């Protein structure tokens, strides 16, 4: 439900930027911002000419700070010129300046904070505490995580907890997906197995909509459901397996 809420808010804004963390790179410093920089320069990985061209309005030191987190040699000299604390401040300021340069207002979405590395959380905290933050609507999504509360100042954040859908809400969702054509017994079975999780409800419905005449038990978990979808790809399954290994 977190992503669905963020996506709905994004449709109401003309300018939106997404910074997403993931479990694979949770120990990689500044990873959500590195991915954003790569998207903005149009190259992965970008070189320093890409950075300086895309962020030409920034001072050279700020461009070098961006180069540093990208692992480019043009930023390495900053390691010998500044202390760790000063370097951290420079990087946070440079990233925030870069974001504002490309998007001076609108919506900023930071997804899955529970997977975000500490350095990135430092940048986020810097953004929230800045006076320029008032120019934006900032949306943060996260699972319950005690680490988040300690790194972000709660005074400026309004929390909206998302619990599981009630039986009535799940019924409304399935009625909307099926245009009211789902049989009551089938709907009740899906609601029972989905445990109020919108993603489970949607995936179960899509599976049955794709193969309506196939009789089978409802999978016990989303993992089982996804495994079944992969098995149903037939001759494409080896391609999926190769892609999973290659990444």
């Amino acid at each position: 439900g977190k992503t669905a809420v963020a996506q709905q808010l994004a449709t109401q804004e003309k300018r939106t930027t997404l910074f997403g963390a993931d479990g694979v790179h949770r120990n990689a410093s500044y990873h959500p911002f590195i991915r954003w920089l790569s998207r903005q320069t149009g190259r992965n990985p970008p070189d320093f000419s890409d950075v300086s061209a895309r962020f030409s309005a920034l001072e050279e030191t700020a461009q070098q700070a961006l180069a540093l987190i990208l692992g480019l040699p043009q930023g390495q000299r900053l390691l010998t010129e500044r202390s760790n604390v000063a370097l951290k401040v420079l990087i946070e300021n440079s990233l925030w300046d870069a974001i504002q340069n490309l998007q001076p207002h609108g919506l900023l979405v930071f997804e899955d904070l529970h997977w975000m590395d500490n350095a990135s959380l430092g940048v986020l905290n810097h953004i929230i505490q800045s006076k320029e933050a008032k120019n934006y609507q900032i949306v943060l999504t996260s699972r319950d995580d005690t680490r988040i509360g300690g790194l972000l100042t709660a005074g400026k954040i309004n929390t909206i907890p998302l619990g599981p859908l009630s039986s009535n809400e799940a019924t409304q969702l399935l009625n909307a997906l099926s245009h009211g054509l789902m049989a009551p017994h089938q709907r009740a079975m899906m609601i029972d197995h989905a445990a109020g999780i919108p993603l489970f409800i949607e995936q179960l419905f899509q599976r049955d909509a794709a193969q309506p005449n196939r009789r089978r038990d409802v999978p016990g978990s989303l993992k089982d459901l996804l495994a079944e979808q992969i098995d149903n790809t037939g001759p494409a399954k080896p391609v999926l397996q190769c892609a999973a290994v290659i990444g």
Side-chain angles (χ1 to χ4, degrees):
K2 303 187 303 298
T3 298
V5 171
Q7 289 175 343
Q8 179 62 30
L9 289 171
T11 63
Q12 303 171 20
E13 286 283 352
K14 292 182 178 180
R15 305 195 67 176
T16 301
T17 299
L18 170 67
F19 302 89
D22 63 67
V24 176
H25 300 96
R26 64 185 306 172
N27 295 319
S29 295
Y30 303 109
H31 183 71
F33 297 98
I34 290 173
R35 288 204 300 182
W36 175 76
L37 289 169
S38 296
R39 292 198 304 270
Q40 299 310 312
T41 58
R43 194 189 313 208
N44 188 20
D47 58 30
F48 188 67
S49 63
D50 300 320
V51 174
S52 57
R54 186 67 171 120
F55 301 99
S56 58
L58 300 186
E59 295 181 357
E60 183 180 2
T61 304
Q63 295 176 0
Q64 291 170 346
L66 300 182
L68 178 62
I69 68 171
L70 288 168
L72 301 176
Q74 289 83 356
Q76 297 300 308
R77 71 177 187 84
L78 294 175
L79 295 173
T80 62
E81 295 178 355
R82 298 179 182 244
S83 67
N84 289 340
V85 174
L87 195 55
K88 177 178 180 294
V89 172
L90 174 61
I91 291 173
E92 292 173 355
N93 284 328
S94 300
L95 283 169
W96 184 214
D97 288 345
I99 294 168
Q100 293 178 86
N101 178 248
L102 298 188
Q103 183 183 325
H105 54 80
L107 176 66
L108 303 178
V109 179
F110 297 86
E111 279 219 89
D112 295 323
L113 266 61
H114 52 279
W115 281 330
M116 192 169 281
D117 61 277
N118 288 339
S120 295
L121 285 172
V123 177
L124 176 55
N125 198 40
H126 173 79
I127 291 172
I128 292 172
Q129 296 303 315
S130 70
K131 65 179 186 295
E132 294 83 7
K134 67 179 185 297
N135 299 325
Y136 299 83
Q137 181 181 14
I138 300 176
V139 175
L140 319 174
T141 72
S142 178
R143 298 176 187 168
D144 287 337
D145 191 330
T146 55
R147 186 177 60 111
I148 304 303
L151 291 172
L152 298 176
T153 303
K156 291 191 174 183
I157 298 174
N158 295 321
T159 302
I160 305 174
L162 298 180
L165 298 183
S166 66
S167 178
N168 181 54
E169 290 167 335
T171 298
Q172 291 181 50
L173 176 56
L174 282 172
N175 284 340
L177 292 171
S178 67
H179 303 288
L181 301 178
M182 180 172 287
H185 73 279
Q186 184 185 21
R187 184 176 61 219
M189 183 171 59
M190 284 192 183
I191 291 173
D192 180 60
H193 280 75
I197 300 174
L199 177 62
F200 283 28
I201 296 172
E202 292 176 350
Q203 289 294 318
L204 289 170
F205 173 80
Q206 290 172 13
R207 182 205 66 174
D208 283 4
Q211 297 176 311
N213 298 321
R214 181 177 174 183
R215 296 180 60 86
R216 61 209 153 175
D217 294 331
V218 177
S221 70
L222 183 61
K223 182 178 179 180
D224 295 336
L225 180 63
L226 295 177
E228 181 180 287
Q229 291 177 347
I230 291 173
D231 287 338
N232 290 339
T233 58
K237 185 176 179 179
V239 178
L240 287 173
Q241 291 173 321
C242 290
V245 173
I246 296 170

